[in-house]
Amino acid sequence: MLNSRHINLITLLMLVTFGVLPSSSADEVIVDIEGQQRVLIGEILIEAQNGGIYFVESSGKIWLFQADQIRSKSRLENPTPVLTKKQIGIKLLEELPSDFRIYETQHYVIAYQTSLTYAKWVASLYESRLYRAFESFWVRKKKVALDDPKFPLVAIIFDSRSNYQAYMDRELGPGQQMVAYYNIQNNRVTMFDLTSEYARDKGELSERRIEQILGSPGAVSMVATMIHEATHQLIFNRGIQSRFSDSPLWLHEGLAMYFEAPNLKSKRGWQRPGLVFDERLLLFRQRLANRQPQTIENLVSSNQFFEDPNQSLGAYAESWALVHFLVNRRSKEFTAYMKFMGKKKPLVEDSSDQRLSEFKQFFGESIEELENDFLKYISRLRYSQQ
């Protein structure tokens, strides 16, 4: 999921009036970060009237620097030098504990504290399965052109839940409970070895044993979360959405959930996007008796359902169901809507009325009619494990 701290940062960014700078050269900035002076190479995308800047580092990390943090800034002659996978790996090893190692694939840099076998298993799940499935869905099925990732895709794997939790607490703040997460600011997916409890007394597990453990009924929901978070990463790195654009949460989360659904018949616990996720469908149907008539309208126009602890679970189930319906029953309109949403500029805030108006522009003025079709569609879905 997109963490609430990330959403709050987006909101903060939108409170300032910015001017977009022309982008043809790299920028060097000297800034104060947590009391230390650092030299960063990247690109100043947007500059605030109060002197603050929206800066994308050559590693892909996004920074918002206030004017009093900036010691100097200068324009370089050459374009922004995007870091290579090797350079990204070096930076990760400088940042992470000393027992981390690096494993590279065509598109991913995997920093791992666990066994190489487990790191390769995750890399294969992301590179060979998810990356290809994502491309096939958008390019072949939806005829949506994808960008090549500008930056190497980073995944970090801790050796235990406790080490992972300590890192997550530092990065996102205490109190988070997730088995993996995507950080929209530094563009990384972070997780821990889901087999670590099994390997504690038995040494390094084989790939076959890893697949047995993670393909079991008790683990597939955790594998689904790994897919969910990596899908967020692909959405923002392949041109489907722009980081820090004001796209609605129901769409972000609904898309990630559309891809995450597990498959117990697959040895990896996941096979392809679009399967029915039984947990989401069950929760949606359990809430039907108390479902309000204007649920879709409210979900589309505002993020408030996700922000309300009493309604957030329902918001996820509703978003999964709505995206599943639109992909399968309003395919042409959905594709056009996604192309439109992908062109939204960063740091431009949309009102609730605008969000709803844009949705109606593609799916029709009558939300009531669409909702009736939607509920009929969901009522006919069958659980995947039956």
Side-chain angles (χ1 to χ4, degrees):
M1 70 176 183
L2 295 180
N3 185 267
S4 60
R5 181 170 175 175
H6 305 157
I7 304 306
N8 291 338
L9 180 57
I10 294 172
T11 302
L12 172 64
L13 291 170
M14 289 175 176
L15 294 177
V16 186
T17 300
F18 287 83
V20 179
L21 300 179
S23 176
S24 58
S25 301
D27 297 293
E28 178 185 278
V29 297
I30 301 177
V31 293
D32 286 335
I33 302 175
E34 297 180 350
Q36 295 186 344
Q37 194 167 101
R38 291 178 56 181
V39 179
L40 301 178
I41 304 295
E43 191 175 354
I44 299 175
L45 289 187
I46 304 173
E47 188 160 11
Q49 292 179 352
N50 63 5
I53 59 174
Y54 173 64
F55 184 81
V56 181
E57 197 177 351
S58 54
S59 65
K61 185 172 183 176
I62 292 175
W63 297 90
L64 172 66
F65 293 121
Q66 304 296 340
D68 60 3
Q69 293 179 275
I70 303 168
R71 295 295 164 260
S72 70
K73 54 189 178 184
S74 57
R75 181 59 58 95
L76 306 178
E77 292 183 1
N78 298 320
T80 302
V82 175
L83 297 185
T84 65
K85 291 196 291 287
K86 183 176 181 179
Q87 291 170 324
I88 290 285
I90 291 172
K91 286 180 68 69
L92 287 168
L93 292 180
E94 291 173 349
E95 173 188 335
L96 295 166
S98 60
D99 53 349
F100 267 84
R101 299 292 181 267
I102 299 297
Y103 180 74
E104 295 180 10
T105 68
Q106 183 179 356
H107 299 101
Y108 288 86
V109 176
I110 310 291
Y112 65 97
Q113 191 183 36
T114 183
S115 70
L116 176 59
T117 305
Y118 188 83
K120 287 183 175 179
W121 187 90
V122 173
S124 178
L125 179 68
Y126 281 180
E127 182 75 68
S128 301
R129 294 292 189 95
L130 177 60
Y131 193 94
R132 293 178 183 178
F134 190 89
E135 193 160 83
S136 176
F137 174 80
W138 291 109
V139 177
R140 185 170 62 84
K141 294 183 179 180
K142 298 302 175 187
K143 310 301 180 186
V144 175
L146 294 177
D147 298 336
D148 291 330
K150 182 177 181 180
F151 306 100
L153 304 172
V154 172
I156 301 173
I157 311 171
F158 282 88
D159 65 344
S160 66
R161 183 186 288 268
S162 59
N163 286 337
Y164 161 79
Q165 187 69 49
Y167 180 86
M168 181 167 59
D169 287 347
R170 291 193 300 272
E171 188 166 77
L172 303 183
Q176 306 292 332
Q177 297 294 325
M178 300 175 283
V179 299
Y181 67 93
Y182 169 67
N183 186 324
I184 199 171
Q185 184 179 6
N186 64 24
N187 202 29
R188 302 171 182 173
V189 175
T190 304
M191 69 199 77
F192 66 95
D193 185 341
L194 299 176
T195 68
S196 57
E197 292 298 316
Y198 296 88
R200 179 173 296 173
D201 300 322
K202 299 180 180 179
E204 183 172 336
L205 301 176
S206 67
E207 182 179 357
R208 181 179 180 183
R209 181 58 179 145
I210 290 172
E211 289 177 346
Q212 288 175 342
I213 294 169
L214 298 186
S216 65
V220 290
S221 63
M222 294 189 289
V223 174
T225 300
M226 292 170 59
I227 293 293
H228 181 112
E229 301 306 322
T231 300
H232 279 311
Q233 187 182 48
L234 288 175
I235 286 170
F236 287 118
N237 282 270
R238 304 225 54 194
I240 296 300
Q241 299 282 280
S242 170
R243 281 195 286 167
F244 292 134
S245 64
D246 189 26
S247 298
L249 274 180
W250 75 267
L251 184 59
H252 282 302
E253 296 299 343
L255 281 171
M257 286 183 284
Y258 184 83
F259 273 79
E260 76 179 356
N263 182 7
L264 287 174
K265 297 178 182 179
S266 170
K267 64 181 181 179
R268 294 184 184 275
W270 185 87
Q271 185 177 28
R272 62 180 176 81
L275 298 177
V276 173
F277 196 163
D278 292 354
E279 291 181 14
R280 306 290 186 192
L281 180 57
L282 177 61
L283 179 59
F284 180 88
R285 287 176 173 170
Q286 287 174 339
R287 297 173 60 88
L288 273 176
N290 297 317
R291 189 176 182 278
Q292 300 301 310
Q294 293 183 315
T295 296
I296 288 182
E297 184 171 328
N298 292 333
L299 188 73
V300 165
S301 61
S302 172
N303 294 335
Q304 65 178 4
F305 282 0
F306 291 91
E307 297 163 357
D308 184 343
N310 297 320
Q311 300 189 74
S312 59
L313 283 178
Y316 280 94
E318 191 82 31
S319 298
W320 167 79
L322 181 56
V323 167
H324 206 283
F325 164 72
L326 295 176
V327 168
N328 290 285
R329 289 294 181 267
R330 298 289 190 275
S331 179
K332 183 178 179 180
E333 296 89 341
F334 176 78
T335 299
Y337 180 67
M338 290 308 306
K339 289 179 178 179
F340 172 80
M341 297 299 285
K343 296 177 181 178
K344 281 188 171 290
K345 295 180 180 179
L347 310 181
V348 178
E349 186 174 15
D350 294 337
S351 67
S352 295
D353 288 343
Q354 183 177 348
R355 284 188 177 185
L356 183 59
S357 175
E358 290 172 351
F359 184 85
K360 289 181 176 181
Q361 176 183 337
F362 292 91
F363 299 108
E365 287 294 324
S366 176
I367 298 294
E368 182 180 356
E369 181 179 336
L370 181 136
E371 187 143 4
N372 289 335
D373 291 344
F374 162 69
L375 291 175
K376 289 177 183 177
Y377 172 80
I378 298 301
S379 70
R380 295 170 185 150
L381 286 181
R382 297 179 62 185
Y383 293 105
S384 63
Q385 305 305 329
Q386 287 184 344

